Amino acid sequence: MKILISTDIEGVAGVFHAEQVRPGNGEYERARVWMTGEANAAVQGAFEGGATEVLVNDSHGGFRNLLPDQIDPRARLVLGKPRYLGMMGGLEEACDAVMLVGYHSRAQGRGILAHTINSFAFARVLINGQELGEAGLYGALAGELGVPVILASGDDVFIEETQPLYPNAQWVQTKIAHGQGSGITLSPEAARQAIAQAARLAVQARRDNIDGVTPFRIAGPIECRLQTQSSALADLFCMWPTLERVDGVMLRFTVDSMQAAIRTLNSLSAMSSMLR
């Protein structure tokens, strides 16, 4: 059984401030150690639950945050960008299940460090009328490839908004959000223990009932509506001929798959750097 662990940082225990998630300072260096620890906890639990192979995908920012020399040597790392599957890089290797570790709630929500893909550029993303954050978007991409989400960890707001998409997954609440940058957190050690236990249970359940979990799928055609953070960003993005302007800050496009939607969104995210 092959497991992909997709790791973000905003949902990691102890992380509350933007300084902790941006390279170039001591707070970030400490947070990436905690991120690596939670990834390792998921690796440990996955192998205890019966996994035979584990891939760990670094899914934050430039995808170069995890510390390779501190990762469980039984796992392999997916690092760097660009990559077509983004936060689901590694699914090219025919994985049996996905875990989302250190994830966060969607943009405009009340979760800690909430955003969707690009906090500078994207205010809301709707797929066929359903508003989704990164966990929903990338879980749907995994589902399109036939792979279910079996575990997710992050704050209480993230869990509340995401749990309906993956009702059979294991959930680990690392923090309680009191606002965008405040709340109550488990210690890194307590979070690691909880993640390891949940990962073990998740893989055991998947192994024992390999056909029993239906992946989250969104049937094509896919209409994506993207609300930008400013009209200037909508101006920029609509230079792309296949994008249609809906109003001052909303645009839309239609593609035939979630993979195409994700690739388009990530390309727009890269374009937004022109206006920073």
Side-chain angles (χ1 to χ4, degrees):
M1 171 150 315
K2 186 183 295 185
I3 305 298
L4 175 68
I5 301 169
S6 175
T7 56
D8 208 344
I9 198 170
E10 286 87 357
V12 167
V15 174
F16 285 88
H17 192 274
E19 194 171 63
Q20 294 176 284
V21 305
R22 294 174 182 164
N25 66 87
E27 289 296 316
Y28 164 76
E29 294 301 328
R30 182 175 298 159
R32 71 194 296 211
V33 172
W34 301 339
M35 177 189 184
T36 303
E38 292 195 7
N40 276 337
V43 172
Q44 174 190 332
F47 278 115
E48 289 176 352
T52 56
E53 189 172 352
V54 175
L55 294 167
V56 179
N57 176 330
D58 188 322
S59 296
H60 174 67
F63 298 166
R64 295 184 297 113
N65 310 276
L66 294 170
L67 298 166
D69 61 344
Q70 295 185 27
I71 283 286
D72 188 314
R74 295 173 293 178
R76 291 187 294 140
L77 280 174
V78 183
L79 296 172
K81 63 169 45 175
R83 45 172 113 124
Y84 290 158
L85 298 184
M87 298 174 81
M88 288 295 120
L91 287 186
E92 302 93 336
E93 297 202 11
C95 297
D96 297 293
V98 170
M99 299 181 183
L100 312 178
V101 174
Y103 270 61
H104 53 82
S105 61
R106 62 180 177 244
Q108 309 297 310
R110 297 185 63 187
I112 296 162
L113 298 173
H115 66 279
T116 302
I117 298 178
N118 185 319
S119 58
F120 167 74
F122 298 171
R124 300 174 70 207
V125 178
L126 297 95
I127 301 293
N128 291 353
Q130 182 177 10
E131 186 171 4
L132 296 173
E134 292 170 20
L137 292 166
Y138 279 99
L141 172 57
E144 186 171 85
L145 298 173
V147 184
V149 172
I150 61 170
L151 176 147
S153 70
D155 68 29
D156 60 320
V157 176
F158 161 71
I159 292 173
E160 182 178 3
E161 75 180 28
T162 312
Q163 197 165 21
L165 304 178
Y166 313 115
N168 297 310
Q170 294 286 324
W171 297 86
V172 178
Q173 181 177 296
T174 57
K175 296 179 282 196
I176 298 173
H178 288 173
Q180 173 78 5
S182 62
I184 301 172
T185 183
L186 296 178
S187 70
E189 181 180 357
R192 291 192 297 265
Q193 291 175 355
I195 290 168
Q197 180 180 10
R200 176 177 56 80
L201 294 173
V203 174
Q204 285 177 342
R206 179 64 172 155
R207 182 195 63 196
D208 295 342
N209 191 13
I210 192 69
D211 297 318
V213 179
T214 301
F216 172 52
R217 291 187 174 95
I218 299 177
I222 304 292
E223 183 200 57
C224 178
R225 290 193 173 226
L226 171 63
Q227 180 180 326
T228 62
Q229 295 283 14
S230 71
S231 60
L233 285 158
D235 293 341
L236 173 65
F237 294 161
C238 286
M239 294 292 289
W240 196 325
T242 58
L243 272 59
E244 176 186 355
R245 192 74 168 262
V246 176
D247 59 30
V249 294
M250 182 74 77
L251 54 88
R252 68 184 172 199
F253 59 88
T254 301
V255 290
D256 59 3
S257 67
M258 277 304 302
Q259 182 174 167
I262 291 289
R263 290 173 65 172
T264 302
L265 289 168
N266 286 334
S267 296
L268 295 175
S269 176
M271 285 177 64
S272 73
S273 63
M274 296 176 63
L275 295 183
R276 282 186 180 270

